[in-house]
Amino acid sequence: MDGRDLVRSVSVVGSGRAARGLRTMRAAWRRRRIDAEGLPRRGPERARVPGQVRDVEPGPGGGLIRFARSELRIVVAANGAVFWGWDGAGPLPSYALAGDGPEPDPRAVLEPDKDGGWRVVAERVTVVVSRHGAVQVCTPGGVVLRRELPPRWWEPVGGGAARWMQRSEVAADARFFGLGGRASGPRLRDGRYRLWNTDPGRAFGPDDDPLYLTMPVQLVVADAGTHLVFHDTTWDGSVVLREGEEGAGSGHDRAGRCEVHMDGGPLRCWVVVGTPARVLYTWASLTGAPALPPAWALGHQHARWDFGGEQEVRRTVAGYHERGLPLDAVHLGAGHYDGHRVFTVDQERFPKLPVLAEELRRDGIRLVSAVGPAVRAEPGGAVYDGGGAVDAFVRDARGRTVEGLAWAGESVFPDFTHARVRAWWGGLYRERLEQGFTGFWHDMNEPTSFGAFGEPTLPRSARHALEGRGGDHREAHNVYALCMARAAYEGLRELAPEERPFVLSRSGWAGSQRYGGTWSGDVATGWPGLRASLALVLGLGLCGVPYSGPDVGGSDGSPSPELYLRWFQLGAYLPLFRTHAGPRAGRREPWEFGAEVLEHARVALLERRRLLPYFVTLAHLARRTGAPYVRPVWWGSPEDRALRDCEDAFLLGDGLLVAPVLEPGAGRRVVRLPRGRWYDTATEEVYEGPAQVVVDAPLSRVPVFARAGSVLPVRGAGGGLELEVWAPARGRTGGGLVVRDAGDGWDAPEIERYAARERAGRVVVTREREDGAAEPPYPVRVRGLG
């Protein structure tokens, strides 16, 4: 804890909420006192670098290189990923990896290189280690993608965790993406980015950093190729990025630079090289396949922090039905709890919650519950007493249960880094299921000791199990929410084995996609917040979290009708489509913004409903390949520098390009198209890319383009599946995939492949099977022939 906590507390006092603010200030002082007792004092430090190579020990996929003052283990995995770890660090234990990690590539061999260095040559990558410990990652043709300079450690003279720094260089034309959910992205400009999951304590905009979900995952795109780098340590740290600059004429290039600073933890790294699709596929094989959301979770969802009671829920749902607006889920925020006590219900306002849930389900609407990690420290409470019986709660260095201030008052926090605690917590979801809830969104799980005012987390000295290794909150903080999501996911798998769990988590870390998705958190209401919403979804997708989305309209205040509509239109094309009214926001139903907004919102909702089969297909492909639903426009053409700088449009799968309106008063907008032929889906006008075009963007819609030759599964007028085919260019072919989903179960449906060919002015569509081509089993509608 530091003085920033007290500044936040004082600001709360000054805002007129003095009594609560004083409690917050006392909580900050208490955490600071606990850390003063429990954290080791950092005294004199000794700097260390690897020194020169002494000897080597070849092994499977690479080997061990010993330097004068350190050692480096380097292994090329069978899936093409490269691992290296300093000072004995291996791939395990790791919260990011799924299972035991990949097997080494038996064909990769450690062999001598020039100037006393060593190298490992594999099919997709060559890794060169200099005699002083610099590591170069090269393409098979020898082009350097990344050069890691020899690392440096600062070790306490009296012992303890060493902090370290790793400097790197990339190509002058390279662009940086990733690092989790960053509001300033998706392209990360020059600056320092902190790796510490944080509740900013207020609505955030593009300039705020860090946010709820950070991870040390960079995706770097350059002319020579794309690579992903992951520094696998969960400690607090930062990444400093500096884009390079190409020299004019005969001038020298200035390489792009990256500095990773960590306060502790192992210095170990994974690198994946290839096309963007290949990189994300390999990354998913390392960290686990993304969880498949139930089919209903791909529809429209509506949330409020506090509905007030059952009748208001019914009134809101009736409003959707009366106006012909599709609705698939209703989210109840923390306001439905009894005094904010988790796993309880306010019986006065929700006396018959299971009956309400059953009514909604008959109408095709699921009920989703907010769940936070804070447990009110109240003897006699079922959750508090149950957690105490299994020793579930985080303790300080002296063995005392740590308390923090949360919505429910003085609260304790489960240690989700212990398997026994996860099993206990996962069993608590039985109560939620019996109340009729189908899905869950985890809020304030950074964890936030008082999320309402942006207060900090548990004391850094708080003790955690860390799967039996033991450690403190400095190491456990960033994976706290990931472990909570795991507890819920595994508990729900056991309690409701026939249904796919729906778990949203505000915070997380690398590997979170195994258990569910995320949402933007408290993004500020305003046009900058709208732009930040898109940045977050794109950035998270490039880090392996494909299912995410913002709260449409922002978290605070009341958006203007135009802003709400443009946000709504963007949300209709994102994986998670959720409207939400926070505790300090007005109503957010579409009809609250006037007749014109209502009519245009209806069009967006119906288009989302029409595209549901396409979203279902993208969800299954994300699980099988790691490819995000929402992709940057350079996804298929990373060598196109103009596309690498495009941040105001995105690809939805391979077939559609969406250009949302992110500025007020815009009736037209500029769109940069990748190579190929593209159709405006509203007018069917044809454009040839690569190109920059100006198109109409009336309030009634946002520009959407279809790639020529695309075969898209859509919902027909009668509710059945149809194939929407966009005519390929003359003499060219196209195609698409269809994955049909039964709903919420675990059956692995077949991937259906379709081809579209232009023949003598006609478009012929066939289903491609192992035994030959066949007629499609669905109606076919060809567009773009005019």
Side-chain angles (χ1 to χ4, degrees):
M1 298 302 128
D2 56 33
R4 288 176 295 181
D5 306 342
L6 303 181
V7 171
R8 283 176 169 174
S9 302
V10 170
S11 68
V12 170
V13 175
S15 68
R17 292 168 286 187
R20 214 167 190 180
L22 287 172
R23 285 195 298 162
T24 305
M25 184 181 293
R26 285 196 296 269
W29 274 114
R30 182 171 58 199
R31 286 189 294 272
R32 190 171 186 180
R33 186 177 64 252
I34 292 172
D35 281 342
E37 296 175 353
L39 286 179
R41 298 181 182 274
R42 185 172 289 277
E45 295 178 322
R46 181 186 300 110
R48 174 169 62 88
V49 294
Q52 292 200 37
V53 171
R54 291 290 180 85
D55 59 74
V56 302
E57 181 182 323
L64 184 66
I65 305 174
R66 296 187 180 91
F67 296 83
R69 291 176 292 277
S70 188
E71 63 181 31
L72 172 67
R73 180 173 298 280
I74 184 166
V75 178
V76 177
N79 62 4
V82 179
F83 170 83
W84 66 76
W86 289 92
D87 290 346
L92 299 174
S94 170
Y95 279 104
L97 297 190
D100 296 332
E103 294 293 322
D105 183 351
R107 300 167 298 174
V109 178
L110 183 65
E111 59 188 32
D113 195 49
K114 61 184 179 180
D115 298 329
W118 294 81
R119 67 178 182 178
V120 181
V121 180
E123 180 182 359
R124 300 192 190 105
V125 64
T126 297
V127 184
V128 180
V129 182
S130 77
R131 69 177 187 271
H132 294 290
V135 181
Q136 286 189 166
V137 179
C138 309
T139 67
V143 178
V144 178
L145 294 177
R146 188 179 193 91
R147 181 170 184 263
E148 303 272 357
L149 302 178
R152 175 171 293 188
W153 296 264
W154 287 268
E155 300 169 327
V157 173
R163 57 191 180 95
W164 53 264
M165 177 183 68
Q166 176 73 72
R167 292 176 176 168
S168 310
E169 295 179 349
V170 297
D173 66 283
R175 295 289 182 262
F176 298 101
F177 301 87
L179 296 181
R182 304 287 169 170
S184 60
R187 173 184 161 196
L188 301 177
R189 264 70 173 186
D190 294 358
R192 178 181 295 270
Y193 299 88
R194 192 178 177 196
L195 297 167
W196 187 255
N197 292 346
T198 303
D199 174 10
R202 53 181 169 75
F204 68 85
D207 296 330
D208 289 300
D209 187 272
L211 297 178
Y212 315 97
L213 201 164
T214 68
M215 61 178 82
V217 179
Q218 301 173 45
L219 191 75
V220 185
V221 184
D223 287 354
T226 300
H227 73 273
L228 178 147
V229 58
F230 168 52
H231 292 89
D232 191 358
T233 178
T234 65
W235 285 64
D236 192 359
S238 63
V239 177
V240 180
L241 300 177
R242 293 287 184 271
E243 289 184 346
E245 185 176 350
E246 293 181 298
S250 59
H252 294 289
D253 288 351
R254 177 172 59 81
R257 290 179 170 82
C258 168
E259 290 185 6
V260 179
H261 300 256
M262 288 291 180
D263 287 350
L267 203 177
R268 57 184 180 178
C269 183
W270 287 91
V271 174
V272 182
V273 175
T275 64
R278 167 63 69 176
V279 165
L280 268 294
Y281 177 79
T282 305
W283 178 239
S285 73
L286 283 174
T287 61
L292 187 65
W296 60 263
L298 296 171
H300 175 229
Q301 306 177 49
H302 183 68
R304 274 201 219 162
W305 187 84
D306 187 1
F307 271 95
E310 291 180 7
Q311 293 311 309
E312 178 62 16
V313 174
R314 290 189 175 92
R315 190 194 71 81
T316 301
V317 171
Y320 275 93
H321 287 168
E322 291 166 3
R323 295 167 176 85
L325 304 177
L327 181 64
D328 297 276
V330 171
H331 293 226
L332 302 187
H336 80 282
Y337 284 121
D338 178 14
H340 300 290
R341 297 174 180 88
V342 68
F343 298 113
T344 66
V345 173
D346 186 328
Q347 292 297 327
E348 290 188 6
R349 296 191 296 166
F350 293 89
K352 297 180 180 180
L353 192 52
V355 174
L356 172 64
E358 181 58 31
E359 291 176 6
L360 295 179
R361 186 136 190 176
R362 285 199 297 267
D363 289 334
I365 300 171
R366 268 57 173 197
L367 203 57
V368 177
S369 170
V371 176
V375 176
R376 184 166 177 168
E378 182 180 53
V383 180
Y384 180 79
D385 289 349
V390 297
D391 191 20
F393 302 123
V394 174
R395 296 179 178 272
D396 64 17
R398 295 174 59 180
R400 301 167 298 190
T401 301
V402 175
E403 294 187 3
L405 194 60
W407 281 112
E410 292 291 340
S411 302
V412 293
F413 297 83
D415 180 8
F416 296 114
T417 69
H418 198 302
R420 182 187 69 246
V421 177
R422 289 197 295 269
W424 164 74
W425 185 265
L428 296 177
Y429 288 80
R430 181 185 300 277
E431 181 272 343
R432 297 281 86 188
L433 295 175
E434 291 173 349
Q435 293 292 338
F437 290 105
T438 308
F440 307 93
W441 51 298
H442 290 174
D443 202 356
M444 301 165 68
N445 57 343
E446 292 71 36
T448 298
S449 292
F450 203 99
F453 303 118
E455 277 303 296
T457 59
L458 293 168
R460 290 176 178 249
S461 60
R463 305 299 298 172
H464 291 267
L466 290 168
E467 318 308 324
R469 293 180 289 110
D472 59 38
H473 197 66
R474 294 175 297 173
E475 184 177 359
H477 171 81
N478 280 336
V479 294
Y480 187 87
L482 179 147
C483 293
M484 180 184 178
R486 178 181 176 182
Y489 185 85
E490 292 177 347
L492 292 168
R493 287 293 308 268
E494 185 173 338
L495 294 169
E498 301 302 319
E499 296 188 2
R500 300 197 295 263
F502 176 73
V503 178
L504 281 181
S505 180
R506 187 170 80 171
S507 185
W509 203 65
S512 292
Q513 76 280 353
R514 298 191 296 263
Y515 312 116
T518 186
W519 85 102
S520 63
D522 296 337
V523 61
T525 297
W527 293 94
L530 171 60
R531 185 174 290 271
S533 298
L534 177 57
L536 285 161
V537 175
L538 283 166
L540 287 165
L542 294 176
C543 292
V545 183
Y547 184 80
S548 69
D551 282 337
V552 168
S555 69
D556 60 333
S558 298
S560 69
E562 181 191 10
L563 173 60
Y564 177 83
L565 177 60
R566 292 309 194 185
W567 216 317
F568 197 94
Q569 290 168 334
L570 168 64
Y573 292 97
L574 298 180
L576 171 64
F577 181 21
R578 185 175 91 155
T579 46
H580 180 230
R584 292 174 294 277
R587 297 185 186 279
R588 292 286 175 79
E589 292 79 28
W591 55 87
E592 299 290 342
F593 295 88
E596 184 180 19
V597 169
L598 172 61
E599 187 56 36
H600 298 332
R602 178 183 290 108
V603 172
L605 274 172
L606 294 177
E607 179 64 6
R608 173 63 173 234
R609 180 58 56 95
R610 192 181 76 90
L611 289 175
L612 272 180
Y614 186 48
F615 275 93
V616 168
T617 295
L618 294 178
H620 281 274
L621 294 179
R623 179 164 179 80
R624 299 187 189 205
T625 70
Y629 313 26
V630 168
R631 309 163 188 178
V633 291
W634 48 259
W635 178 261
S637 306
E639 71 284 353
D640 188 329
R641 297 188 180 187
L643 292 180
R644 294 207 294 260
D645 294 339
C646 178
E647 301 177 282
D648 59 357
F650 59 90
L651 298 175
L652 182 60
D654 286 332
L656 297 177
L657 186 152
V658 182
V661 176
L662 306 176
E663 303 289 342
R668 308 194 79 195
R669 63 151 294 173
V670 176
V671 181
R672 187 170 292 278
L673 299 173
R675 65 171 178 260
R677 172 172 291 186
W678 296 87
Y679 295 94
D680 185 320
T681 58
T683 66
E684 300 194 11
E685 188 170 349
V686 180
Y687 299 92
E688 296 290 341
Q692 183 171 282
V693 300
V694 180
V695 295
D696 290 335
L699 276 176
S700 59
R701 63 179 177 88
V702 295
V704 178
F705 298 83
R707 191 190 302 270
S710 295
V711 178
L712 307 177
V714 299
R715 182 173 177 169
L721 192 146
E722 294 183 356
L723 299 181
E724 182 174 88
V725 181
W726 290 90
R730 183 175 297 275
R732 305 297 297 271
T733 62
L737 304 175
V738 177
V739 182
R740 302 205 66 182
D741 189 355
D744 297 347
W746 294 96
D747 293 339
E750 177 188 2
I751 296 181
E752 303 173 14
R753 302 177 185 276
Y754 293 88
R757 299 174 176 86
E758 189 276 336
R759 291 178 181 171
R762 295 180 60 249
V763 176
V764 178
V765 181
T766 56
R767 180 176 178 181
E768 304 299 294
R769 306 174 62 101
E770 292 183 359
D771 56 355
E775 290 289 325
Y778 316 113
V780 175
R781 180 189 178 199
V782 179
R783 301 186 63 186
L785 290 175

